[in-house]
Amino acid sequence: MKVDKIWTKDFFVIWIIHFIITVIFYLLLVTIGQYAIIHYEVSISVAGLVSGIFVIGSLVGRLIAGRLLTLMSSKKVMIIGLVFLCVTTALYFIQVALFSLMIIRFWQGFAMGITGTAAGTLVFETLPSHRKGEGIGYFSLGGIIGTAIGPFLGIFLTQLSTDFNLIFKVNVLLALICLGSCLLLGKSRSNRPIVSASKRFRLSNYVELNVIPMACIALLIGFSFSGVMSFLTLYTESINLVVAGSYFFLVYALAVILTRPYIGKLFDRAGASIVIYPSLVIFAFGMFLFSTAQSSFIFLLSAACIGVGFGNFNSVSQAFVIMQTPHARIGVATSTYLILCDLGMGAGPFLLGFLEPLIGYRGIFSNMVVVILICVVLYYLLYSRQGNFGKKKMRA
């Protein structure tokens, strides 16, 4: 019997887990730098390193997850990641030296990389074959909503109490909820073959080469967005739009929520290109508005455009590369794609931070418009020019 439902019990549980781990990530992202400055009296650049090393850990975790997903079921890999996430999240209560804090951040990112990659693979396996794009769109909404709620919750908790232990307690609770939610998942119905482990190192065990062209575009797009994510507070202070800045991610999330269901259906019916081209152009326009904003209206309009552009590109491009991947390689493909996304998001703040003294925040963001437009050209050269418009059936 053909199953058309997207919102099954398993899909909803995985959606909740994805949403919560995104909240954990962003809650800490906006507060851990302040924690490092207050408790360790470090510079802003070092505080940025404490924050950003989490992404490096996530990158390594995704690499390992891709291999694990060829050896065992997605559910087992996700449980392993969540157990490790609970342990590393609890370690924040221990008063340690700065270097030890960075080690904890790395391993927590590692755990989240494993969990997120497994969740993305598992949810893809639960979706009906003819509604993959729409389903991935709904799934990634959990991350988008988490992107809005995480920073808001982090700022709220710092205002509620100057004791950062409250933030750490909330994170442990959220991690435990994720682990407990796994008990609600049914047995995996995936027919993805599990291969036996080989002692011989092979690059193909960790990387899906067919994914790399689109993943490199996603890397550049993530790099472009990383400055918005990391420098938003400092930027809004410099242009006297602090109040508007506090609503940025809320408007961003609403824009994605309102458009994502239609974008997913359009992708399933007409292919990737009809979504990717407009998404990139709208993202570039939103970044232009962001870099030149003088008023709250223009600033929040940029948030909406960036949400429609960046937010929808991410879900569509991920669904596109997975649907071109043999079923047995879905885990590795998901890992490869997300590794390069994380690399762009993680390296961006560090590299762009060197440019701020030279060209200022507005200069940084205006140059990102050029990077996004370059991605339009790259997509055309790699896919559209070859007649590959993304409307491909999933490979067996």
Side-chain angles (χ1 to χ4, degrees):
M1 180 178 175
K2 191 175 183 180
V3 179
D4 288 333
K5 288 179 64 176
I6 289 178
W7 287 94
T8 60
K9 182 193 72 174
D10 283 357
F11 181 90
F12 180 74
V13 170
I14 304 166
W15 190 97
I16 290 294
I17 292 172
H18 180 229
F19 162 71
I20 292 178
I21 63 174
T22 305
V23 170
I24 293 173
F25 169 68
Y26 280 97
L27 193 162
L28 281 175
L29 184 70
V30 299
T31 57
I32 199 68
Q34 182 181 358
Y35 173 76
I37 291 172
I38 293 174
H39 286 267
Y40 297 95
E41 299 180 349
V42 299
S43 65
I44 294 177
S45 59
V46 173
L49 181 60
V50 172
S51 177
I53 199 170
F54 182 100
V55 179
I56 305 302
S58 177
L59 188 154
V60 177
R62 292 194 190 283
L63 184 66
I64 300 302
R67 177 56 174 160
L68 290 177
L69 287 165
T70 65
L71 304 175
M72 61 184 73
S73 71
S74 306
K75 181 180 176 181
K76 288 182 180 178
V77 176
M78 187 167 69
I79 291 174
I80 291 171
L82 286 173
V83 170
F84 201 22
L85 180 64
C86 290
V87 172
T88 52
T89 303
L91 291 178
Y92 281 88
F93 290 108
I94 303 174
Q95 297 296 320
V96 295
L98 178 64
F99 180 75
S100 297
L101 175 64
M102 294 173 66
I103 295 297
I104 292 172
R105 290 283 293 161
F106 175 88
W107 285 113
Q108 188 189 36
F110 179 86
M112 194 164 290
I114 290 178
T115 303
T117 304
T121 304
L122 182 58
V123 81
F124 195 84
E125 294 170 350
T126 68
L127 293 169
S129 59
H130 60 293
R131 300 185 71 183
K132 298 287 188 183
E134 184 182 359
I136 289 294
Y138 285 126
F139 172 70
S140 58
L141 271 181
I144 297 298
I145 298 172
T147 300
I149 292 180
F152 173 81
L153 181 60
I155 294 172
F156 172 76
L157 291 176
T158 56
Q159 294 175 343
L160 189 65
S161 172
T162 57
D163 182 4
F164 282 86
N165 279 337
L166 177 60
I167 292 175
F168 302 151
K169 289 175 183 177
V170 170
N171 278 332
V172 170
L173 176 62
L174 292 175
L176 289 172
I177 289 173
C178 287
L179 182 59
S181 298
C182 287
L183 300 176
L184 301 176
L185 290 172
K187 292 184 178 180
S188 175
R189 297 187 301 273
S190 172
N191 59 357
R192 176 169 58 85
I194 305 300
V195 302
S196 59
S198 172
K199 294 182 180 179
R200 182 181 176 185
F201 174 82
R202 293 180 180 176
L203 182 63
S204 61
N205 288 336
Y206 300 90
V207 176
E208 178 61 39
L209 296 178
N210 292 332
V211 170
I212 288 179
M214 178 61 83
C216 286
I217 295 176
L219 181 152
L220 292 174
I221 293 300
F223 178 84
S224 302
F225 180 72
S226 67
V228 176
M229 182 181 70
S230 299
F231 302 137
L232 178 65
T233 301
L234 296 172
Y235 177 54
T236 53
E237 288 177 354
S238 70
I239 61 175
N240 298 315
L241 292 176
V242 175
V243 175
S246 65
Y247 290 101
F248 181 90
F249 280 112
L250 177 61
V251 174
Y252 169 92
L254 286 174
V256 182
I257 291 170
L258 292 175
T259 58
R260 181 62 59 79
Y262 305 101
I263 294 297
K265 291 178 181 178
L266 184 61
F267 167 76
D268 285 329
R269 294 173 183 172
S273 291
I274 201 169
V275 175
I276 286 178
Y277 280 124
S279 294
L280 292 178
V281 171
I282 292 171
F283 182 26
F285 178 66
M287 189 65 74
F288 170 76
L289 294 178
F290 187 80
S291 67
T292 59
Q294 302 283 352
S295 66
S296 295
F297 174 78
I298 296 299
F299 186 81
L300 293 179
L301 179 61
S302 76
C305 291
I306 291 173
V308 172
F310 174 78
N312 286 308
F313 168 83
N314 262 357
S315 65
V316 169
S317 59
Q318 182 178 353
F320 174 47
V321 297
I322 292 176
M323 292 183 73
Q324 294 188 99
T325 303
H327 197 57
R329 302 282 295 173
I330 288 177
V332 180
T334 302
S335 169
T336 303
Y337 177 86
L338 293 177
I339 282 171
L340 290 176
C341 287
D342 283 354
L343 184 60
M345 295 286 282
F350 177 72
L351 297 176
L352 295 176
F354 288 109
L355 294 177
E356 193 279 328
L358 302 175
I359 60 177
Y361 291 115
R362 289 194 186 275
I364 289 174
F365 298 126
S366 61
N367 278 283
M368 291 306 99
V369 176
V370 178
V371 174
I372 298 166
L373 294 177
I374 289 174
C375 289
V376 176
V377 177
L378 287 176
Y379 179 77
Y380 170 76
L381 293 175
L382 292 170
Y383 294 98
S384 293
R385 193 180 67 168
Q386 301 172 11
N388 178 359
F389 290 96
K391 195 172 183 180
K392 285 195 170 187
K393 299 295 183 181
M394 186 174 176
R395 292 168 61 186

